[in-house]
Amino acid sequence: MVRGRIFIAVGLVVGLVLLPACGGGGPKGTATCDGTPLDADAMDLPADFPIPDKVTIDATAKQGASHTFDGWFDGSLEDAYHAWKDAFESAGYTVLFDELEERDSEVSYASADNTSTGQVAMKSDCVEEGRTDVHITSRPA
């Protein structure tokens, strides 16, 4: 009888530990991807820097000579990757490196006039369904 209770207790503990690891419909990611959009004057990007239509930038910071920008893309990671790559190519920018993986993606660029370089890093980390986390780094060439 005691042995049966021990097995039941162990089974319950194991179930409680393993059950949350199954996913269970909780948040998809860790990035909020929700905030107040910055207006164009708050962003220190080159005047010809292309930003796809479905992108919202809500934070910026200066780190040495580089500027960083954070926001999100309304759509899938794959759609975000193609939107950024197409935007750079359409604006005459050079795509230096690009990569699309299952959970993240990058597009590195040089501006059309070769005065700036940088990277757009995208991750499927948004808590909100249907959004892709975007992090832009821009620096003088």
Side-chain angles (χ1 to χ4, degrees):
M1 184 87 154
V2 172
R3 180 182 260 174
R5 288 183 183 172
I6 290 174
F7 283 125
I8 290 172
V10 169
L12 286 172
V13 170
V14 169
L16 290 173
V17 170
L18 293 179
L19 188 60
C22 294
K28 180 180 165 196
T30 57
T32 57
C33 300
D34 185 20
T36 303
L38 295 177
D39 62 22
D41 294 336
M43 293 187 277
D44 191 15
L45 284 165
D48 66 341
F49 188 84
I51 298 178
D53 289 335
K54 295 181 177 184
V55 173
T56 301
I57 304 296
D58 68 345
T60 183
K62 186 160 171 63
Q63 299 174 344
S66 297
H67 282 96
T68 60
F69 305 87
D70 290 293
W72 66 88
F73 177 86
D74 284 318
S76 70
L77 175 65
E78 184 175 355
D79 290 344
Y81 163 82
H82 289 294
W84 279 105
K85 190 172 177 195
D86 292 348
F88 285 130
E89 290 172 347
S90 294
Y93 277 49
T94 302
V95 173
L96 303 171
F97 169 80
D98 64 284
E99 180 176 60
L100 175 59
E101 295 181 322
E102 185 178 335
R103 299 236 347 117
D104 63 51
S105 176
E106 299 87 25
V107 179
S108 297
Y109 65 86
S111 64
D113 61 4
N114 290 315
T115 60
S116 66
T117 62
Q119 182 180 70
V120 176
M122 297 152 275
K123 293 183 180 179
S124 55
D125 280 350
C126 292
V127 173
E128 293 80 4
E129 191 69 35
R131 287 188 175 172
T132 300
D133 185 38
V134 173
H135 178 78
I136 303 167
T137 302
S138 177
R139 59 183 107 32

